[in-house]
Amino acid sequence: MTKRVINLNPGPSAVPLEVLKIVQEELLDYRGTGMSILESSHRSPEFEEINDQTIALVRELLGLGENYHVLFMTGGASTQFALVPMNFLGPGQVGAYVDTGEWPSKALKECKLLGGAHLAFSSKAEGYRRVPKMNEIKWPENAAYLHVCSNNTIEGTQFHEFPDTGKVPLVCDMSSDIASRRFDFTKFALIFAGAQKNLGPSGVTLVAIRDDFMARCKEGLPTMFTYRTYAKEKSLYNTPPVFGVYFMKLVLEWIKRQGGLAGIEKINRAKQDLLYRTIDSHAEFYRGTAEKESRSWMNVTVRLPNEDLEKKFIKEAKAGGIVGVKGHRSVGGIRFSIYNAVTLEDVQKTVEFMERFRKAN
Ligand SMILES: Cc1ncc(COP(=O)(O)O)c(C=O)c1O
């Protein structure tokens, strides 16, 4: 029998078992073609259909209209950190950044390399324990956009509302919480997300850009570095990450079968509720690191009474079939990454382990 663990890795991370089985079944013969989708041309009718369907599914699930260009790119979310300022910083403009953790601060660094950057908020001095209240975010007149990171994977914080930026386009790194809950995605002029948490394997980055923002995209950039190429060619100018797009389509179809974002949100709400209740009921042992109002539904971060106990926790969790709970190397501690593919049952088993571990220690 195949061994499967409770996979709480931060990314790449768990994908739905149902999807893995479909991939396995279709791997040798994709729908009667006699070959894997990995082996077929990206110009084949089979792949063109996958590409079109994936674009349509993204629009449908996120509630984005035809006025959004849906793109599949490579280079991870980290490449987007550079491409956004490269494409959208006009003369005399600055990129405004909300610094809520390691990832948005890396985005800010890229912007500084390419032009002017403005710090619109930072919780760095508070150890990144929270995201801002909406009235704490300030951007200047000449902001080309405001960049936020909706979920801070490392620090375990998440935005539960987003600022109204008026004329200033709102750009969002949704790498670690895309398609995990409902909200008005049309607030955003540009969304990007590496696929490897909620959308499938690493290697493909989802980007959605609203028409009016796309119109401001600079001319004259190298072909592969301008969003215009991807929008114009439906991400098929060069060889796209075929397997990633195919996989993303299957994951999006799986989300649809869970009742779309409403269904997924319900499950995710129950998962985080159970985990945070367990933590709060024994706050002397499991110390949540994020402020309550900023807590992430996707990455739950805690410290134990000391580092030796944390090491023991990680080791015993693994022996009990729960893997990936070591906090990021920059912050330490314990992190439970409970993305879409982690089931409520997985979280139930995890809190049972937490209870046993606490009592024994
Ligand atoms: C919120 C966030 N942004 C960006 C990144 C970087 O993504 P990539 O490794 O795809 O460049 C990560 C990776 O974990 C992330 O969690």
Side-chain angles (χ1 to χ4, degrees), residues 71 78 101 115 135 173-174 248 282 286 292 347:
L71 321 175
S78 301
N135 62 10
D173 174 2
M174 289 194 191
M248 190 190 296
H282 292 287
Y286 293 114
K292 280 194 181 163
V347 176

Side-chain angles (χ1 to χ4, degrees), residues 75-120:
S78 301
T79 297
Q80 299 300 315
F81 294 166
L83 289 183
V84 168
M86 202 187 274
N87 279 262
F88 293 106
L89 271 191
Q93 286 190 313
V94 294
Y97 285 77
V98 177
D99 174 26
T100 48
E102 195 162 316
W103 295 115
S105 89
K106 283 187 169 159
L108 172 69
K109 184 174 150 226
E110 296 301 297
C111 182
K112 281 183 183 159
L113 290 173
L114 290 154
H118 171 86
L119 191 59

Side-chain angles (χ1 to χ4, degrees), residues 75-78 81 103 149 151 153 173 175-176 194 196-197:
S78 301
F81 294 166
W103 295 115
C149 178
N151 185 73
T153 324
D173 174 2
S175 294
S176 52
Q196 63 270 24
K197 295 150 200 320

Side-chain angles (χ1 to χ4, degrees), residues 71-90 97 106-111 113-114 144-145 147 171 190 192 205-207 209 213-214 216-218 221-230:
L71 321 175
F72 306 119
M73 301 179 70
T74 56
S78 301
T79 297
Q80 299 300 315
F81 294 166
L83 289 183
V84 168
M86 202 187 274
N87 279 262
F88 293 106
L89 271 191
Y97 285 77
K106 283 187 169 159
L108 172 69
K109 184 174 150 226
E110 296 301 297
C111 182
L113 290 173
L114 290 154
Y145 55 83
H147 176 284
V171 169
L190 188 152
F192 62 87
T205 308
L206 172 66
V207 182
I209 311 184
F213 195 41
M214 189 60 124
R216 300 189 195 183
C217 187
K218 264 191 224 166
L221 287 173
T223 313
M224 288 302 288
F225 298 156
T226 169
Y227 291 111
R228 288 179 184 275
T229 304
Y230 297 81

